Amino acid sequence: MEEVLNFIMHAIESSKKLELELPNIINHLEILFSSIDEVEKSFGGAKERVMMLLSSQHDITKTTLSNSFASMMSHDVFMNKTQHAQIDRLLDLMQNPFDMSHVLLENKMISGGDIPMLRSKGTLKIGEMVGRNVEGLEKSKGLEGEMQGIQTPPSRPKKRKIDLEKRTVMVPAPQVGNTDMPPEDGFTWRKYGQKEILGRKYPRSYYRCTHQKLYLCPAKKQVQRVDENPNIVEVTYRGDHICHKSLTAPLSYPPPQQLLVNINNTQTTISPQLSPSSNSRWPQAANLGLRAGDASGSGGPSTTRYGIDYPVADMADTMFNSGSSSGNSMESLFAPMDDKWELDENKS
DNA sequence: TGCATTTGACCTAT
DNA sequence: ATAGGTCAAATGCA
């Protein structure tokens, strides 16, 4: 653990140094790059070692980790309630690396080598695992043996009234116009609530399917900005859309696919993943997040449309859904990912 | 006028 | 008691 703290302290020092020198080096890209690189590597090293500790220390407890963080953070910073909560979340992540939403966030924040590391340890799976939360994990008995003794944290409230499967995806928030608008995902939603969430900087918005009353469609989603990066929103889907199955429903939408949104420092990519357990109920990858930068997304209501032309979405749809041929450019882009991130179903 | 959003109140699980 | 989730009246907009 000492080594971890050394890495973290070095990263913090490097960050401070970078902050101080920023005005001077902002125009010297090479120096800027090496400074950022140093910070990145230090945090990466820390995380790598924490992961190693986690794999070897089956009885690691949240308390001991928390104490380590607390002592580290208390050098000259008084941690308030929110910061404690954020550390709690980080600890949850460390003990539950399966939550895809966090993993994606981590992939953005740290070097790209980390996810392969997780993958090689067999601790991370895409497909069935994408975005599945703790409840989903607990149901997934086959995974227990692969958790390498990492215990799911003593959970906070697991289920509320509705016992629906939840899936979380990270999508880029709109950069222009009304950035509070949820990303487009091909469905029409109606906002029915917003709430401040303890330990989170940004409020959580609650949406239900516009056709809930008409078609008794139970689909809901929660949209929340990520604390660490407001440019990313965390979208949690619950319930299946049945509105499109109704004979009297509006025009159908394109077949949704499960997705993986892969965010890194400089660009955002959206990678389609076939879902083993549900191949028709989750939002289409191509549509998610495309509202960012879409001028039409500024201002108007958050509801979207069935059967209306969406040039950008269509373009992406074409890229992702242009049949099973392996010739399209997007597939070539994501091919390495697909090869490495083996779906559970393919294994069995 | 009808639909969507806002927001305080209420409900419910822990 | 508390926090997350939902309801519903008030309000805004086209």
Side-chain angles (χ1 to χ4, degrees):
Chain A
M1 188 51 82
E2 193 181 346
E3 199 180 3
V4 176
L5 289 175
N6 286 338
F7 266 102
I8 294 173
M9 291 312 296
H10 185 253
I12 292 171
E13 283 170 17
S14 303
S15 300
K16 285 179 180 171
K17 199 174 157 189
L18 173 61
E19 185 184 12
L20 286 173
E21 294 174 353
L22 195 55
N24 300 325
I25 66 173
I26 191 68
N27 290 322
H28 300 79
L29 293 181
E30 287 178 9
I31 302 173
L32 188 63
F33 179 86
S34 67
S35 298
I36 296 170
D37 192 48
E38 192 175 348
V39 174
E40 185 182 37
K41 280 176 181 168
S42 300
F43 274 124
K47 190 189 174 190
E48 193 168 331
R49 274 149 190 81
V50 169
M51 291 304 297
M52 287 162 67
L53 285 173
L54 278 171
S55 351
S56 59
Q57 242 178 302
H58 292 176
D59 57 348
I60 192 164
T61 64
K62 197 169 182 172
T63 308
T64 55
L65 277 169
S66 188
N67 289 340
S68 301
F69 269 96
S71 62
M72 176 193 77
M73 296 296 287
S74 63
H75 276 279
D76 55 1
V77 179
F78 174 75
M79 289 205 301
N80 59 27
K81 210 173 171 182
T82 302
Q83 287 168 321
H84 270 295
Q86 287 174 340
I87 284 178
D88 264 3
R89 290 186 63 225
L90 177 58
L91 295 169
D92 281 345
L93 160 66
M94 290 157 66
Q95 292 189 304
N96 178 30
F98 299 94
D99 186 332
M100 201 54 219
S101 61
H102 293 101
V103 170
L104 291 167
L105 182 61
E106 289 301 301
N107 190 30
K108 172 191 68 65
M109 296 197 302
I110 58 181
S111 65
D114 293 305
I115 282 184
M117 182 196 78
L118 287 170
R119 193 184 303 137
S120 67
K121 286 176 178 292
T123 57
L124 182 63
K125 293 199 169 154
I126 304 299
E128 185 177 337
M129 294 304 302
V130 169
R132 179 161 294 184
N133 61 357
V134 176
E135 301 98 283
L137 278 173
E138 285 170 348
K139 287 178 200 161
S140 179
K141 295 177 184 170
L143 287 164
E144 288 173 4
E146 298 183 80
M147 292 179 71
Q148 302 185 351
I150 299 173
Q151 296 169 354
T152 45
S155 55
R156 308 209 313 160
K158 299 206 170 182
K159 304 276 174 165
R160 292 282 166 183
K161 288 182 266 185
I162 302 168
D163 190 17
L164 294 172
E165 184 182 7
K166 296 201 297 189
R167 297 207 177 191
T168 302
V169 297
M170 309 297 286
V171 301
Q175 302 296 304
V176 297
N178 185 354
T179 56
D180 288 332
M181 300 293 289
E184 289 294 346
D185 57 12
F187 293 101
T188 59
W189 300 98
R190 177 172 178 170
K191 188 174 184 176
Y192 66 89
Q194 178 170 309
K195 203 162 176 57
E196 297 288 338
I197 301 300
L198 199 73
R200 307 296 297 260
K201 272 193 221 170
Y202 304 98
R204 178 177 298 167
S205 297
Y206 298 88
Y207 295 84
R208 64 164 70 98
C209 179
T210 301
H211 310 296
Q212 186 200 42
K213 286 183 179 172
L214 199 55
Y215 305 112
L216 300 175
C217 182
K220 288 179 183 172
K221 77 171 177 181
Q222 299 174 0
V223 177
Q224 176 147 34
R225 219 163 264 271
V226 172
D227 292 347
E228 295 85 346
N229 187 348
N231 295 324
I232 307 295
V233 292
E234 185 181 311
V235 184
T236 301
Y237 292 91
R238 293 199 307 187
D240 298 347
H241 279 279
I242 59 169
C243 48
H244 63 280
K245 292 174 183 169
S246 165
L247 291 174
T248 54
L251 292 174
S252 64
Y253 53 85
Q257 290 180 330
Q258 180 148 347
L259 67 156
L260 161 66
V261 182
N262 181 16
I263 297 148
N264 60 32
N265 285 331
T266 56
Q267 63 181 31
T268 299
T269 57
I270 303 172
S271 171
Q273 296 284 339
L274 294 176
S275 165
S277 56
S278 60
N279 57 9
S280 66
R281 47 179 144 155
W282 302 101
Q284 187 179 11
N287 284 338
L288 273 165
L290 286 176
R291 190 154 190 168
D294 179 3
S296 71
S298 59
S302 70
T303 50
T304 48
R305 60 297 144 157
Y306 293 96
I308 299 175
D309 277 349
Y310 275 80
V312 179
D314 286 349
M315 181 178 69
D317 187 40
T318 302
M319 289 191 288
F320 288 133
N321 298 312
S322 56
S324 57
S325 78
S326 58
N328 71 55
S329 59
M330 293 307 280
E331 276 194 29
S332 64
L333 265 177
F334 296 121
M337 222 35 186
D338 292 341
D339 289 344
K340 290 173 186 170
W341 294 64
E342 218 172 2
L343 296 179
D344 255 358
E345 63 182 333
N346 293 338
K347 280 191 167 177
S348 58

